[in-house]
């Protein structure tokens, strides 16, 4: 949900992006793009992880220009006794532009100790699916936030969730799973150049290092792995590259071990950029059928509350943000991604076609 920051401070964020792009242009005089920019514009794209909660006048043109659709992903955040989510906003946006968007609902562990918990969640999901939801997101609430009445953290492999997974597997509904956070969340925040420095600096409530009572990174990842392994019929897209984007070898191990697993790239391009470009390219080529493009970009306020200047800056920032990710995937130029100096992957057209749309369209084709 990083663009929420951009939406709140768009001019500042725009400045940041311009700085990034400025650096990126320095030593990229010759583009050796493997696809021409015009062909790439026309390439069908699906951003499978987006949070466009509120419409924007510019968005329909923006998506058409890039031949792109987006999955509107609801997030449920537990705060004390209440759960905050925005499904109605996403439904309204989806209904307004059904040709541009897909819809993804969510649920939390709230009430998991009640005997009717799973039935109640399944009934809610049935309603959401009837209203257009094609996917269900589970968020890092599981593992890092939700606790039972005795203070135990609820992990994603909790057996009380099993009826929900069985319902989703039977109905061939994919789960988008953001479980755990980057390992950096459990470590000290001493390197301003780390791609996650700003997020944990701005969101100390998720900097697990500050909360020694929170389960360890390793414990949450182990619970996640057990969950994936024990539901082979459930189709899972692991958001944010499995929360292990700093270590593509570990990601590859999971993809080898669990055939029901795919990964989504949102907000983890900086981690990829820190690793050896050739190895990252080989990873994309080897697992090209199981990697999906996503961004985590979205809108956090209604357009009517923003001045035209702010909306204009937001659009420019969004264009620059997508362009940088597109450049990283399609070109082999030197560039800077989330403060990391790197070279683009310059992936072949067949790989780009898959990660940008074909892989997700396969998920949809498998739906009942
Ligand atoms: Zn997200």
């Amino acid at each position: 949900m990083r663009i929420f920051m951009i939406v709140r401070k768009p001019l500042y964020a725009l400045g940041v992006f311009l700085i990034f792009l400025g650096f990126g242009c320095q030593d990229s005089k010759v583009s050796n793009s493997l696809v021409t920019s015009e062909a790439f514009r026309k390439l069908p794209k699906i951003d499978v992880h987006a949070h466009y909660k509120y419409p924007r006048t510019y968005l329909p043109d923006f998506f058409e220009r890039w031949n792109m659709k987006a999955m509107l992903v609801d997030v449920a955040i537990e705060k004390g006794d209440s759960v905050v989510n925005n499904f109605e906003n996403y439904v309204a946006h989806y209904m307004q532009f059904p040709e541009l968007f897909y819809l993804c609902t969510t649920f939390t562990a709230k009430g998991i100790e009640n005997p009717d918990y799973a039935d109640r969640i399944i009934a809610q999901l049935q309603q959401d699916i009837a209203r257009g939801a094609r996917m269900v997101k589970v968020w890092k609430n599981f593992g890092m936030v939700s606790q039972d009445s005795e203070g135990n953290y609820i992990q994603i492999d909790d057996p009380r969730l099993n009826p929900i997974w069985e319902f989703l597997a039977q109905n061939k509904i994919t789960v988008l799973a953001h479980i755990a956070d980057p390992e950096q969340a459990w470590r000290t925040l001493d390197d301003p150049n780390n791609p996650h420095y700003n997020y944990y600096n701005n969101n100390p409530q998720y900097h697990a290092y500050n909360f020694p009572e929170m389960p360890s990174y390793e414990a949450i990842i182990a619970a996640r792995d057990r969950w994936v392994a024990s539901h082979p019929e459930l189709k899972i897209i692991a958001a944010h590259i499995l929360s292990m984007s700093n270590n593509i070898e570990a990601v590859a191990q999971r993809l080898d071990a669990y055939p029901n697993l795919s990964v989504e790239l949102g907000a983890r391009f900086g981690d990829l950029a820190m690793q050896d470009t050739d190895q990252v390219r080989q990873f994309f080529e080897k697992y090209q059928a199981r990697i999906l493009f996503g961004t985590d970009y979205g809108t956090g306020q209604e357009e009517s509350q923003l001045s035209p200047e702010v909306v204009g800056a937001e659009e420019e920032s969004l264009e620059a943000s997508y362009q940088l990710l597109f450049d990283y995937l399609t070109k082999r130029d030197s560039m800077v991604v989330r403060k990391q100096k790197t070279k683009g992957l310059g992936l072949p057209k067949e790989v780009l076609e898959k990660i940008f749309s074909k892989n997700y369209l396969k998920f949809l084709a498998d739906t009942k």
Side-chain angles (χ1 to χ4, degrees), residues 41 113 177 185 221 253 327 358:
R41 248 181 211 283
E113 288 169 293
I221 291 294
Q253 280 170 11
D327 285 349
K358 285 185 174 174

Side-chain angles (χ1 to χ4, degrees), residues 1-2 49-51 73 75 137 139 176 178 240 296:
M1 291 187 289
R2 288 175 191 226
H49 183 170
H51 300 285
V73 178
V75 185
K137 169 149 185 180
W139 201 49
L176 179 69
H178 171 177
H240 307 304
D296 221 7

Side-chain angles (χ1 to χ4, degrees), residues 10 56-58 303 306-316:
R56 290 289 186 269
T57 313
Y58 67 77
E303 186 166 344
L306 303 170
S307 69
E309 292 74 30
V310 167
V311 174
E314 179 191 275
E315 182 182 3
E316 279 182 46

Side-chain angles (χ1 to χ4, degrees), residues 29 82 87 106 135 143 201 248 250 292 308:
K29 293 184 191 90
S82 62
F87 191 58
T106 189
M135 202 152 81
N201 218 18
I248 51 167
L292 295 98

Side-chain angles (χ1 to χ4, degrees), residues 148-361:
D148 65 16
S149 51
E150 291 175 1
N152 302 306
Y153 283 84
I154 314 280
Q155 295 297 338
I156 195 69
D157 68 332
D158 191 304
R160 291 170 290 191
L161 300 169
N162 285 347
I164 301 169
W165 310 134
E166 283 154 24
F167 163 77
L168 293 174
Q170 274 165 16
N171 287 277
K172 299 187 184 295
I173 299 287
T174 305
V175 177
L176 179 69
H178 171 177
I179 300 299
D181 250 0
E183 195 178 350
Q184 184 61 41
W186 279 262
R187 312 291 177 244
T188 51
L189 205 56
D190 43 18
D191 176 11
N193 287 322
N194 186 281
H196 305 293
Y197 180 88
N198 287 346
Y199 180 77
Y200 293 114
N201 218 18
N202 295 327
N203 297 277
Q205 73 275 28
Y206 295 121
H207 188 202
Y209 179 78
N210 296 332
F211 306 98
E213 70 280 12
M214 200 182 277
S216 67
Y217 173 76
E218 291 76 12
I220 299 174
I221 291 294
R224 193 274 318 277
D225 287 351
R226 287 193 299 271
W227 168 61
V228 177
S230 60
H231 297 281
E233 303 300 317
L234 183 65
K235 293 184 291 180
I236 297 169
I237 298 174
H240 307 304
I241 323 183
L242 273 164
S243 293
M244 31 180 54
S245 44
N246 60 332
N247 182 355
I248 51 167
E249 277 177 38
V251 178
Q253 280 170 11
R254 269 72 179 183
L255 288 170
D256 289 340
Y258 312 127
N260 55 329
L261 188 67
S262 297
V263 297
E264 176 274 331
L265 303 171
R268 296 295 180 269
F269 286 81
D271 294 296
L272 296 178
M274 286 176 87
Q275 295 169 75
D276 180 84
T277 304
D278 289 335
Q279 279 177 7
V280 176
R281 186 182 303 116
Q282 283 161 16
F283 170 82
F284 271 74
E285 290 186 354
K286 181 166 181 192
Y287 299 102
Q288 56 185 273
R290 296 165 71 191
I291 298 173
L292 295 98
F293 175 73
T295 63
D296 221 7
Y297 297 155
T299 47
Q301 277 173 286
E302 294 199 42
E303 186 166 344
S304 60
Q305 297 180 341
L306 303 170
S307 69
E309 292 74 30
V310 167
V311 174
E314 179 191 275
E315 182 182 3
E316 279 182 46
S317 168
L318 197 63
E319 177 85 27
S321 304
Y322 274 103
Q323 184 71 62
L324 181 63
L325 305 186
F326 295 157
D327 285 349
Y328 177 71
L329 294 167
T330 60
K331 296 177 180 175
R332 295 199 175 180
D333 301 341
S334 297
M335 58 187 73
V336 176
V337 179
R338 289 191 81 87
K339 300 186 222 168
Q340 316 306 313
K341 267 195 152 186
T342 188
K343 279 199 159 50
L345 300 181
L347 296 169
K349 188 163 179 270
E350 310 77 63
V351 178
L352 295 171
E353 285 172 344
K354 287 182 191 167
I355 66 173
F356 274 107
S357 69
K358 285 185 174 174
N359 291 342
Y360 182 66
L361 292 175

